[in-house]
Amino acid sequence: MDFFWLLVVNITLSVLSTPVFSLTTCPCSDSSLCNPVSSPPRKEVLVFQHRGTLWKSYDWSIVTTVAMFGKYDPDLMCYAHSKGARVVLLGDLPVAQLTNSTYTKLWIKQQVKLAQDQFMDGINIDIEEALPNTEAPLLTKLISDTSKAFHEAIPGSQVSTDVMYSPNCINECCFDYKGIADACDFLMLMSYDEQSQIYGDCIAMANSPYNKTAKGVSEYLKLGISPDKLVLGVPWYGYDYTCLHLTQDRVCSIAKVPFRGAPCSDAGGKQVAYFVIQQILAANSTTGRLWNSTYEAPYFQYKNTETGRTHQMWYDDPESLSYRYKYAKSADLRGIGVWHGDCLDYDGKGKQQAKEMWEAITSFLQV
Ligand SMILES: *[C@@H]1O[C@H](CO)[C@@H](O)[C@H](O)[C@H]1NC(C)=O
Ligand SMILES: *[C@@H]1O[C@H](CO)[C@@H](O)[C@H](O)[C@H]1NC(C)=O
Ligand SMILES: *[C@@H]1O[C@H](CO)[C@@H](O)[C@H](O)[C@H]1NC(C)=O
Ligand SMILES: *[C@@H]1O[C@H](CO)[C@@H](O)[C@H](O)[C@H]1NC(C)=O
């Protein structure tokens, strides 16, 4: 359903069978930069790093944690540490192995070793396969054991878990959310791809509708999870939908692509990075930027040059993100997260837009 994640999963499933990359000596010019970051719990600005060296252009005055989801990059580790930011691993395993305690024990050992060998500060556990309610305790135990192992081996380390935008078995991920929140440092809410299961009209909608996002957070809080255990993840990408039919009031019917029991999903569209969306908005839009005030999100339409078809693009920009950052602040959440930091054009025509995307985060941080 989500091509960004699929890329990642293919890499990580092989972890147990291939020798892990490991360093023998500190790769940083100043060897003290190989020490784990020891700052106490604080408001988080967690950024997922996906590929390449665009991280050099992140706003390091506000980043607190980088989840290194691309290839391990020692320069990124040294640099992040020089800015007091933690660097965490991607943690993923096949849920079929949760019943195999030989596997999970070995997995935990390997993750800790990988983090130590690479001078990292923890792990972000990202398991998005369907998990039936009956197996939820196994995942909670894995996360609890992983937390204990990390906190013991690397003092001050951080263990977080990625979860769906709401705790209601979204995408058939029926975790024990309260148990997991208790077992690790915090939950990173993936408050995007919120149209992964559409049961009503099969139409284009916002990726991260404000009303649905806020409802999801409130449901986590209702479980008795402290706001200090919740990081609100937001998208720096959007969805491009081809309209099969378009009404005068801009309701765009999309291809019916089922996903985990739902007849329709955002897999009927295509994920597009923010900087590409801005290029299409500038060059091809037939409507200009429009605003949906229920979703607090922008969208626009354009005609594809090659096919002549009308498309509807739903996305987030500094204005819509500010609503979400302000919400996170007003709810006193632990932090915000960004999927992902490499969706921007830091050096070319999108440079100013990239700056504005980072600046919008100040609406979460301002006191
Ligand atoms: C359990 O995990 C171990 C270690 O990876 C593996 O050797 C074994 O085949 C697994 N058992 C099953 C039933 O998958
Ligand atoms: C959000 O608003 C849309 C459009 O009005 C509505 O269909 C949907 O049910 C709302 N969602 C929630 C969770 O309130
Ligand atoms: C936002 O879009 C939804 C369709 O997805 C529609 O039901 C709703 O009325 C729109 N809200 C506004 C204020 O236009
Ligand atoms: C947008 O317009 C430009 C210039 O006319 C064209 O080259 C490009 O293919 C168009 N992009 C799309 C997605 O249709």
Side-chain angles (χ1 to χ4, degrees), residues 5 8 48-50 67-71 90 124 126 162 339:
W5 295 114
V8 160
F48 290 94
Q49 185 259 350
H50 189 243
M68 213 194 275
F69 274 30
K71 214 175 108 219
L90 159 65
N124 173 260
D126 180 39
D162 298 335
W339 179 266

Side-chain angles (χ1 to χ4, degrees), residues 211-212 215 294-295:
N211 65 339
K212 210 170 175 178
K215 178 120 189 295
T294 313
Y295 300 147

Side-chain angles (χ1 to χ4, degrees), residues 16 97 100-104 106:
L16 285 175
Q97 295 293 353
N100 181 347
S101 63
T102 314
Y103 187 99
T104 54
L106 184 61

Side-chain angles (χ1 to χ4, degrees), residues 59 201 269:
D59 182 350
D201 293 342

Side-chain angles (χ1 to χ4, degrees), residues 16-56:
L16 285 175
S17 49
T18 51
V20 295
F21 179 86
S22 104
L23 300 166
T24 44
T25 50
C26 175
C28 311
S29 56
D30 172 354
S31 65
S32 74
L33 294 178
C34 279
N35 296 334
V37 170
S38 62
S39 72
R42 52 185 168 176
K43 290 292 178 191
E44 285 290 338
V45 174
L46 185 155
V47 179
F48 290 94
Q49 185 259 350
H50 189 243
R51 64 190 157 85
T53 54
L54 294 176
W55 56 263
K56 291 182 177 163

Side-chain angles (χ1 to χ4, degrees), residues 195 203-206 250-251 291-295 299 314:
Q195 312 300 352
I203 58 172
M205 293 178 277
R250 302 202 173 96
V251 177
W291 185 262
N292 180 306
S293 58
T294 313
Y295 300 147
Y299 66 108
W314 285 89

Side-chain angles (χ1 to χ4, degrees), residues 9-290:
V9 166
N10 287 338
I11 298 163
T12 54
L13 287 183
S14 58
V15 160
L16 285 175
S17 49
T18 51
V20 295
F21 179 86
S22 104
L23 300 166
T24 44
T25 50
C26 175
C28 311
S29 56
D30 172 354
S31 65
S32 74
L33 294 178
C34 279
N35 296 334
V37 170
S38 62
S39 72
R42 52 185 168 176
K43 290 292 178 191
E44 285 290 338
V45 174
L46 185 155
V47 179
F48 290 94
Q49 185 259 350
H50 189 243
R51 64 190 157 85
T53 54
L54 294 176
W55 56 263
K56 291 182 177 163
S57 301
Y58 294 177
D59 182 350
W60 290 96
S61 68
I62 59 173
V63 175
T64 57
T65 301
V66 178
M68 213 194 275
F69 274 30
K71 214 175 108 219
Y72 176 73
D73 182 345
D75 293 338
L76 169 51
M77 182 276 293
C78 301
Y79 195 76
H81 281 183
S82 78
K83 301 293 179 184
R86 288 188 170 83
V87 183
V88 299
L89 283 174
L90 159 65
D92 184 20
L93 56 70
V95 300
Q97 295 293 353
L98 284 175
T99 50
N100 181 347
S101 63
T102 314
Y103 187 99
T104 54
K105 275 188 193 130
L106 184 61
W107 184 85
I108 292 170
K109 219 180 232 170
Q110 286 189 343
Q111 306 311 302
V112 170
K113 178 162 170 23
L114 198 52
Q116 285 178 319
D117 288 352
Q118 297 179 153
F119 310 100
M120 295 173 81
D121 310 272
I123 188 167
N124 173 260
I125 299 170
D126 180 39
I127 294 174
E128 299 189 34
E129 275 185 81
L131 185 83
N133 229 326
T134 47
E135 289 181 21
L138 294 170
L139 180 62
T140 309
K141 179 170 164 36
L142 174 86
I143 291 169
S144 171
D145 292 349
T146 304
S147 284
K148 275 183 211 132
F150 266 86
H151 291 153
E152 230 172 80
I154 309 171
S157 60
Q158 178 192 93
V159 178
S160 61
T161 308
D162 298 335
V163 295
M164 297 297 158
Y165 64 90
S166 138
N168 293 331
C169 282
I170 306 301
N171 298 352
E172 299 177 350
C173 291
C174 303
F175 302 176
D176 164 19
Y177 291 95
K178 172 75 165 85
I180 292 174
D182 290 341
C184 69
D185 294 304
F186 58 82
L187 305 181
M188 206 310 295
L189 273 56
M190 296 182 282
S191 298
Y192 40 77
D193 297 340
E194 292 186 30
Q195 312 300 352
S196 58
Q197 293 178 299
I198 301 174
Y199 291 96
D201 293 342
C202 192
I203 58 172
M205 293 178 277
N207 184 15
S208 175
Y210 184 87
N211 65 339
K212 210 170 175 178
T213 293
K215 178 120 189 295
V217 172
S218 73
E219 285 166 347
Y220 277 103
L221 295 172
K222 265 190 228 148
L223 293 177
I225 300 173
S226 156
D228 194 43
K229 288 263 183 170
L230 301 177
V231 166
L232 185 71
V234 301
W236 280 12
Y237 66 96
Y239 276 88
D240 182 331
Y241 293 99
T242 305
C243 302
L244 303 182
H245 178 76
L246 186 68
T247 69
Q248 271 191 333
D249 43 4
R250 302 202 173 96
V251 177
C252 161
S253 313
I254 62 172
K256 276 199 171 117
V257 180
F259 185 69
R260 296 196 188 159
C264 170
S265 86
D266 53 19
K270 198 181 103 197
Q271 294 185 347
V272 188
Y274 179 72
F275 85 94
V276 179
I277 293 170
Q278 288 302 315
Q279 287 171 355
I280 298 175
L281 174 60
N284 311 79
S285 167
T286 51
T287 58
R289 179 181 178 275
L290 302 167

